[in-house]
Amino acid sequence: MLGLKHVHHIAIIASDYQTSKSFYCDVLGFNLLSEVYREARDSWKGDLGLGEQYVIELFSFPFPPARPSHPEACGLRHLAFSVDDIDQAVTHLESHGVKCEPIRIDPLTNKRFTFFADPDGLPLELYQQ
């Protein structure tokens, strides 16, 4: 048996580290747990958490290629975050200039969800529990 327990972290490469750090921390509410500049790679690495739970490794690298997204490319499609109140969450995002798709209903679970994007166009989802 492999023994997987949970997802340890998600790695995201940002085209503008400071902009993405501000988006994930100031808009989405992640905490910056630690941060280091890696001079040999000309790269920042920030560890972001929800509360104290480590969730995202945020990286910068010089001149990263654009992520293929539309049409949908093979690979990771999006990241989804659960929320208690999707209407309140959408209002919060929109008050920070983040455009959200109209809220839809998942036909399999009857739960409400919507999509939005980070500063680099990475698709993110809010899913009401």
Side-chain angles (χ1 to χ4, degrees):
M1 176 188 259
L2 183 58
L4 298 180
K5 295 182 180 181
H6 57 82
V7 174
H8 185 266
H9 69 272
I10 300 155
I12 297 173
I13 297 173
S15 63
D16 181 318
Y17 178 79
Q18 296 301 331
T19 297
S20 289
K21 181 175 76 170
S22 176
F23 175 79
Y24 282 94
C25 293
D26 300 337
V27 177
L28 297 188
F30 281 83
N31 297 314
L32 182 63
L33 302 176
S34 67
E35 183 175 57
V36 63
Y37 179 72
R38 303 175 315 162
E39 189 171 346
R41 299 180 123 191
D42 189 20
S43 169
W44 281 96
K45 178 188 178 282
D47 295 332
L48 309 181
L50 288 173
E52 295 302 312
Q53 182 179 346
Y54 174 49
V55 177
I56 292 176
E57 274 184 340
L58 183 63
F59 290 99
S60 68
F61 291 103
F63 312 108
R67 177 186 186 275
S69 185
H70 300 285
E72 291 182 355
C74 188
L76 181 65
R77 184 168 183 248
H78 64 268
L79 304 178
F81 301 104
S82 63
V83 295
D84 290 326
D85 184 336
I86 198 164
D87 297 301
Q88 180 181 3
V90 166
T91 298
H92 172 82
L93 289 172
E94 290 177 343
S95 75
H96 286 85
V98 177
K99 184 179 178 194
C100 296
E101 292 182 1
I103 295 171
R104 295 182 270 164
I105 306 287
D106 184 321
L108 299 175
T109 65
N110 288 322
K111 299 290 186 174
R112 301 170 74 215
F113 70 98
T114 188
F115 284 93
F116 62 104
D118 84 347
D120 288 307
L122 176 65
L124 302 173
E125 178 184 1
L126 295 178
Y127 198 89
Q128 185 168 301
Q129 289 301 314

